[in-house]
Amino acid sequence: MATKCDKSCQCSNCRYISVALQAINIASSYSVTKNEIAKEANEFRGLLESLSAKHQSIIDSTFPTDGDADPMKIFIDKRPYYQWLDFNPNAFLPENFQRFLLTGICAPVPLPESNNIKPVDTAPIFVVGCGRSGTTILGRMLSCHPHIAYLNEPRQLWMTYMNLFDIWSAMSRSRQGQLVMQDTESVQVAALNQHFLSIPSMVDRQVLCEKTPENVFKLPFIKTVFPSAKFVHILRNGRSVARSIARFQLHTWFGSDGYKWEQLLQALRMPQFNFSVPVSFLSLCEYSLFARGLLEWALGVVAGRYFARQLGQTQDMHECYLEIRYEDLLTSCESVLTRIEVFGGLEHSDEMIQLAKSILENPEEKRTKAGTAVSVLSKDEEDSIIELSGQDICNLLRELGGI
């Protein structure tokens, strides 16, 4: 179960500041109040306190006086951004995501208490792919299907049963979070399966659809938990993905204190992926978010396809693994969504198709047309980074777009 965390920022910067303030207080106690050393110490103390105050204000503003609301109640009662639903797919992000990043606090999600809530026996659908590849818009479209109960990145639900799912928060290192699941013996597989598959029954739906982009690295584990699971892997032009990632803040995208990035580097070294980049490119990744974005994108593609090949050794991989292109979703969404319906064993829904088309007409979505992600670098700078990325990344860029 999720561990209880301190209601203060746990990021490395704030922890270092806390230690520095303690040192200043000790030093000041041995100094004369009016001397120059004490004056400079007070000025330094004020600077450090102001640096940590922003994080603490975010945390303090999100703690209600009567405790956090029941996440199941949030799931049923609220529905922001999804006007066509009577439940909130974002309820288990967790709701206060910035607080989660800074403190690691992630309250466990209780099982439904009603005896009428039973796990569904249909195959769950998992939408995966590198972040910024279109997983969010695809998930929103699938949420329009009248039979689907859609969950958007439900970290809180996963972490109810395994803290090692956390690769984002300031507590991820102490939790020993795993991007590629390896040490899973302590996971309560049966309880995890039952909890997830009970969600559709709560909202009178028949099929669970879950979207967490990083789950593209966890497909073998998810297949163990949900043997009948079906996976939709969405792929996008690699240059556009890297451009989009490069516009995020480092700690927001690659985890508090860079822990998610460390996990990506660990995945790079795993022999099953048979993937490599030049040492010079890894050095470039230390200060280029565009380069990091390229590597994350490429590793996600490789991890998904490695899983598909492994499936093909024991069964027809096309029964439970489907690749689609983000660019096709934008230009031919009806065709792509119909393929997913057939793949997932869903009845055809004209309602989903019409709502999906209206989503594409949203001005915000129009700005994300394929290949139009705004870059923080010039094209020449991007080309130079791509040239250094090595043969494996360049081969994927030639196949999927970006060169």
Side-chain angles (χ1 to χ4, degrees):
M1 302 293 279
T3 55
K4 183 178 180 180
C5 304
D6 188 7
K7 293 182 181 181
S8 60
C9 185
Q10 300 298 307
C11 77
S12 60
N13 285 343
C14 288
R15 291 200 302 271
Y16 296 152
I17 287 172
S18 177
V19 172
L21 288 172
Q22 292 178 43
I24 290 172
N25 289 336
I26 293 171
S28 297
S29 67
Y30 291 98
S31 303
V32 179
T33 305
K34 294 182 180 181
N35 70 19
E36 192 64 27
I37 295 177
K39 179 182 177 181
E40 292 181 359
N42 284 331
E43 290 176 352
F44 189 41
R45 179 190 292 112
L47 174 62
L48 292 176
E49 289 175 343
S50 67
L51 290 174
S52 63
K54 182 178 180 181
H55 282 185
Q56 195 58 48
S57 67
I58 293 173
I59 296 167
D60 293 341
S61 67
T62 58
F63 271 109
T65 56
D66 58 349
D68 282 342
D70 181 346
M72 282 299 188
K73 189 174 188 304
I74 296 172
F75 174 63
I76 293 173
D77 289 352
K78 299 181 182 179
R79 47 184 177 181
Y81 315 118
Y82 297 82
Q83 297 86 352
W84 52 88
L85 296 179
D86 55 2
F87 61 93
N88 178 9
N90 299 329
F92 310 125
L93 267 169
E95 187 183 36
N96 293 311
F97 188 64
Q98 285 300 315
R99 186 184 74 186
F100 165 67
L101 288 179
L102 295 174
T103 67
I105 290 177
C106 192
V109 180
L111 270 168
E113 295 182 357
S114 172
N115 292 329
N116 296 323
I117 304 299
K118 304 291 184 183
V120 295
D121 58 6
T122 51
I125 299 171
F126 291 88
V127 174
V128 298
C130 181
R132 315 310 297 169
S133 290
T135 56
T136 296
I137 189 173
L138 176 59
R140 291 191 72 201
M141 289 178 174
L142 292 175
S143 77
C144 301
H145 195 287
H147 293 172
I148 281 179
Y150 173 61
L151 298 180
N152 181 41
E153 304 187 28
R155 298 171 181 83
Q156 196 168 359
L157 192 50
W158 288 106
M159 289 178 62
T160 294
Y161 295 94
M162 49 180 191
N163 280 326
L164 49 78
F165 191 80
D166 180 16
I167 58 169
W168 302 274
S169 84
M171 294 294 292
S172 57
R173 193 179 306 279
S174 63
R175 287 170 171 157
Q176 299 181 325
Q178 299 177 15
L179 179 65
V180 180
M181 303 294 284
Q182 300 177 80
D183 181 19
T184 59
E185 292 183 2
S186 62
V187 178
Q188 304 170 55
V189 170
L192 183 60
N193 175 293
Q194 180 182 2
H195 203 157
F196 265 89
L197 295 183
S198 295
I199 296 294
S201 298
M202 295 182 61
V203 289
D204 197 25
R205 303 290 174 114
Q206 292 77 46
V207 179
L208 173 75
C209 179
E210 193 269 6
K211 183 272 285 188
T212 303
E214 289 84 357
N215 277 350
V216 73
F217 293 97
K218 297 177 169 65
L219 300 185
F221 167 74
I222 294 174
K223 184 68 173 173
T224 299
V225 179
F226 305 95
S228 64
K230 294 179 179 288
F231 302 96
V232 179
H233 186 186
I234 185 167
L235 304 172
R236 184 186 182 187
N237 176 305
R239 185 190 294 256
S240 293
V241 172
R243 283 176 177 173
S244 190
I245 289 174
R247 298 182 66 82
F248 278 75
Q249 293 182 351
L250 184 65
H251 74 278
T252 301
W253 189 263
F254 288 106
S256 180
D257 306 331
Y259 187 76
K260 175 185 166 183
W261 175 245
E262 294 174 17
Q263 288 292 298
L264 283 164
L265 292 179
Q266 184 172 321
L268 176 63
R269 295 189 291 268
M270 292 181 176
Q272 67 263 36
F273 297 143
N274 191 27
F275 190 86
S276 63
V277 296
V279 174
S280 57
F281 181 74
L282 286 180
S283 299
L284 188 60
C285 287
E286 290 303 310
Y287 60 87
S288 171
L289 288 180
F290 179 81
R292 288 193 183 196
L294 277 178
L295 182 56
E296 181 176 357
W297 166 79
L299 282 172
V301 175
V302 169
R305 290 178 169 178
Y306 166 76
F307 170 73
R309 289 195 303 272
Q310 294 301 108
L311 276 180
Q313 296 179 9
T314 57
Q315 64 183 98
D316 183 358
M317 72 176 187
H318 300 294
E319 293 179 359
C320 56
Y321 177 86
L322 175 68
E323 282 189 0
I324 66 166
R325 292 297 304 272
Y326 171 72
E327 293 81 3
D328 294 338
L329 185 66
L330 295 182
T331 58
S332 309
C333 79
E334 182 171 358
S335 173
V336 172
L337 292 175
T338 300
R339 282 179 62 203
I340 294 175
E341 285 178 322
V342 173
F343 169 73
L346 296 162
E347 294 180 8
H348 178 68
S349 170
D350 290 327
E351 177 185 6
M352 177 182 70
I353 301 299
Q354 294 308 311
L355 284 170
K357 289 179 178 179
S358 69
I359 290 172
L360 285 179
E361 290 303 312
N362 184 300
E364 182 178 345
E365 302 299 347
K366 284 185 174 181
R367 288 196 294 271
T368 64
K369 289 291 186 183
T372 61
V374 178
S375 179
V376 296
L377 303 173
S378 70
K379 186 175 184 301
D380 286 344
E381 289 172 322
E382 291 179 353
D383 287 342
S384 296
I385 292 172
I386 289 172
E387 187 176 345
L388 293 170
S389 67
Q391 182 177 350
D392 287 349
I393 287 181
C394 286
N395 285 342
L396 288 175
L397 287 168
R398 291 188 187 96
E399 176 194 352
L400 300 172
I403 292 183

